[in-house]
Amino acid sequence: MLDKQRYEAQGLELDASKLIVEAQGVAGLTDFGPFEFETALRKLLDCFAKDMPLSEQGMALLKADIVRLLVNRLRMERDIKAHPEILQEDVSDPFIIIGLPRSGTTKLHKMFSAPDTVQKTLFWRMQNPAPFPDAVPGEPDPRIAAIANSGLLTDDNPDMNAAHPIAIEEVEEEGLVYQMSFKDYTWSQLLDSPEYFDWIMSESSTEGYSLAKRVFQYLQWQDGGKRGRPWVFKSVPHFAYLDTLLEHFPRATFIQPHRDPHKCIPSFAKFTSGLAHIYADSFDEHKHGAETLRTWSIAMKRFLAVRERLQLDDRILDVDYELVRHDPMKIVREAYAKSPYELSPEADEKMLAWHTHNVQGKHGKHEYSLAEFGLTPDDIEDNFGHYMSRFINKH
C-alpha cells in the first residue's frame, strides 16, 4: 500500500528541477547535449519517492548520484564541442559478455580485461567519465579518490563482497554509464518498482545506447585513441536490449555463459538486496524476490525472441558455467578466434594468471536460497523452462 505521506515528503526532496540546477552550478555549464532526459529523470525520481523508503543516507546518496551523472553529461558535451573528433572514435567491435546475472559474466569480464591490449571499464572511470577540473597531468587522477564516497565499495560488506567485490581500480560493468540516460534497466536492479520497469520496457532504448556509445568514444579519446584495443563490456541489462546493442556496436563479439536460473535468480536477488539496503530504510525480501523473478523472466523472453528473429546463434559463443569455473581459457581462445583480434601470448598469460589467482570463494562464500526471497523451484521452471530446455538441461 502506498504511504502517501512518505511519498509526498520524498517527492519534495527528489525534485528534478532543483537537481538539474545544482548540477549546472557545480559544472558551471548548461548544455546537456542532444539527448532528452528530463522525462526519464522525473519518472525515475517519482518511482523512487513512491516505491523505496529511503534512509537519510540513501536520500543523500541518490541525490548525489543524480547530480554526478548530470555533471558528467555537462562536462562531456563541453569537451565534445571543443573536440568534435571525439565522435570519430571507433568503438564498434568490443567483446561483450551477455547472459543472466550470476552466470559467470563477471569472471569472464575481469579475465578478458586483464591484459593491456584491451580497454578497461575501470570503476572510477565508469562513475565519472568526465575529468575533474582540478586534475593535474602526471598526478593521481582525482576521480579515483572521489569514488571512496560512492557508497558502493564492498570491503565493509561481507555478503556483497563475497558475491561481487567492487574496488576502485578494478573493472566494473558499464551499466554505470547507461544510468546516465535515467531510462535503463540498471536502475531497476536497485529500485523494486514495477511501474518504472514496465515503463522502460515500453520505451525505446536507442537514445540510451547512443548516449553510452558517445561516452565510450569520449573515454577512448581521453586514453589516446583506440590503438588497436577493443573494449570489453559486460552489463547484465544488455540481455533485454540485444537488438539495440547490435545497432550501436555492430562488429561486437558476443560471449554468453549459461547457468541454471535456480541458482542465478536467488544469487542476484541476494546481491541486489545488499545494494538496496545501502539506500532503503526498510526492505521486503519477498517483494524483491518476486520483482527479480519477473524482470528477468521478461528480459529472457525478449532476449530469446530477438536472438531468434535476428538469427544470432552464429554470432554468440555459448558456454557452460562449469567451463567458466574450470577452463575459462578455452572460452577466451574461442572468443578471440571469432573476433577481429589475435590473442597474443602475453595477453593469454595475463588472463590465465587472473584465473589462477582468483578462485571462486576468494572473498567469502556467497550464500542464498530461493526460499528467503519467497520463491520456489516451480517459479523458476514456469518462467525459465524454455531457456533451460535449450541451454541448461542439455549439458
Side-chain angles (χ1 to χ4, degrees), residues 246-286:
L246 267 168
E247 290 170 10
H248 289 81
F249 305 102
R251 299 169 58 222
T253 300
F254 293 100
I255 306 100
Q256 182 175 1
H258 297 281
R259 186 188 187 194
D260 188 341
H262 289 86
K263 302 291 187 182
C264 294
I265 297 304
S267 178
F268 190 65
K270 187 62 172 282
F271 172 67
T272 49
S273 69
L275 285 176
H277 278 293
I278 296 172
Y279 292 83
D281 200 31
S282 60
F283 187 74
D284 185 332
E285 276 79 6
H286 284 201

Side-chain angles (χ1 to χ4, degrees), residues 370-385:
L370 286 166
E372 68 184 293
F373 295 100
L375 302 175
T376 69
D378 285 345
D379 291 328
I380 302 299
E381 295 287 345
D382 291 345
N383 286 276
F384 298 96

Side-chain angles (χ1 to χ4, degrees), residues 141-250:
D141 196 304
R143 288 177 288 179
I144 296 173
I147 297 304
N149 298 318
S150 69
L152 295 177
L153 300 177
T154 58
D155 287 346
D156 295 328
N157 190 321
D159 287 340
M160 286 181 63
N161 206 40
H164 183 108
I166 298 174
I168 294 174
E169 298 194 60
E170 291 277 336
V171 296
E172 190 50 57
E173 62 179 81
E174 77 282 2
L176 295 164
V177 165
Y178 289 86
Q179 287 184 320
M180 293 173 73
S181 72
F182 307 111
K183 186 174 64 175
D184 184 74
Y185 200 125
T186 308
W187 282 109
S188 69
Q189 309 310 297
L190 171 65
L191 174 64
D192 284 332
S193 172
E195 179 183 341
Y196 178 75
F197 177 77
D198 291 343
W199 181 73
I200 61 170
M201 288 290 102
S202 71
E203 291 281 305
S204 169
S205 58
T206 297
E207 283 203 351
Y209 274 85
S210 296
L211 172 63
K213 177 183 174 182
R214 199 176 182 90
V215 174
F216 296 121
Q217 290 174 311
Y218 181 44
L219 287 166
Q220 183 167 286
W221 171 80
Q222 290 176 43
D223 198 33
K226 186 166 188 171
R227 293 183 284 137
R229 301 169 300 159
W231 283 96
V232 180
F233 292 155
K234 171 256 173 178
S235 183
V236 288
H238 289 328
F239 209 52
Y241 304 126
L242 190 59
D243 45 358
T244 316
L245 185 65
L246 267 168
E247 290 170 10
H248 289 81
F249 305 102

